[in-house]
Amino acid sequence: MQVTRTAIADVLLLEPKVFGDERGFFFESFNERVFREATGVTLPFVQDNHSKSGYGVLRGLHYQTENPQGKLVRAAQGEVFDVAVDIRPDSPTYGKWVGEILSASNKRQLWVPPGLAHGFVVLSETAEFLYKTTDYYAPAFEKCIAWNDPTLAIEWPALSIAPKLSAKDMAGDSFASL
């Protein structure tokens, strides 16, 4: 597995070893020992999530104030632009964001550590998105930052339609209100 640090040092881009031939491909999408050795992350994963979304669906920017979740994310089908925002007040990269294209074809994964907000937008006709989390979903502590917050100024890819948002995501808070 190749690990690349992003502009937020704790957010890691992971590229697995893929074995392919005329029959198709094989790769380990998760191996605890390899992940731990490659990243230094020792947090246990306790929940797996799987979503399917259509073109232009934007989910996020979500985080939990209690029971913060680290997330290991990837697109099993389709393509997304995935974003992590550092909302840790004592971090040198507080208020910074990183974004990566994750797709079924590039098989890349992103490690988003606890304490960061996370979101993605679907760039393909549909996308199936998988994520392993280090803590359980706690709806009482879930919060959302507006995807288009002017302070963060995330450079989302251009879409041919307006992003499709849930009611929760439409009501996202400003970054300044954190």
Side-chain angles (χ1 to χ4, degrees):
M1 171 186 319
Q2 179 179 330
V3 178
T4 305
R5 293 203 177 274
T6 66
I8 300 174
D10 299 334
V11 177
L12 306 173
L13 183 63
L14 310 174
E15 297 184 62
K17 290 182 181 176
V18 179
F19 304 93
D21 59 26
E22 68 281 352
R23 300 170 297 154
F25 68 86
F26 171 85
F27 73 99
E28 286 184 343
S29 61
F30 181 74
N31 176 309
E32 181 183 9
R33 183 178 60 244
V34 172
F35 178 78
R36 185 178 61 243
E37 290 171 359
T39 66
V41 175
T42 59
L43 297 169
F45 289 102
V46 299
Q47 182 175 319
D48 283 357
N49 301 319
H50 185 150
S51 69
K52 182 175 182 178
S53 305
Y55 175 77
V57 169
L58 193 150
R59 298 182 186 271
L61 302 160
H62 302 152
Y63 65 100
Q64 291 183 175
T65 56
E66 303 282 329
N67 308 97
Q69 296 176 307
K71 298 175 180 175
L72 180 61
V73 299
R74 69 184 180 99
Q77 180 269 318
E79 180 176 85
V80 305
F81 181 69
D82 195 69
V83 173
V85 178
D86 194 342
I87 60 172
R88 301 170 295 183
D90 297 331
S91 171
T93 53
Y94 178 74
K96 303 295 184 204
W97 64 272
V98 294
E100 295 287 345
I101 299 288
L102 305 179
S103 69
S105 60
N106 71 23
K107 297 170 185 51
R108 292 177 169 174
Q109 300 179 49
L110 198 66
W111 163 245
V112 180
L116 277 74
H118 174 258
F120 65 90
V121 64
V122 177
L123 304 177
S124 50
E125 184 178 340
T126 62
E128 293 198 33
F129 196 71
L130 306 175
Y131 39 113
K132 303 179 85 55
T133 65
T134 61
D135 211 330
Y136 298 102
Y137 175 59
F141 302 115
E142 184 179 35
K143 299 284 186 180
C144 180
I145 301 169
W147 68 277
N148 58 352
D149 181 274
T151 302
L152 296 176
I154 295 171
E155 296 173 19
W156 296 97
L159 300 172
S160 62
I161 61 171
K164 298 175 188 174
L165 305 168
S166 69
K168 172 178 66 178
D169 293 345
M170 281 191 268
D173 296 325
S174 70
F175 178 74
S177 70
L178 296 182

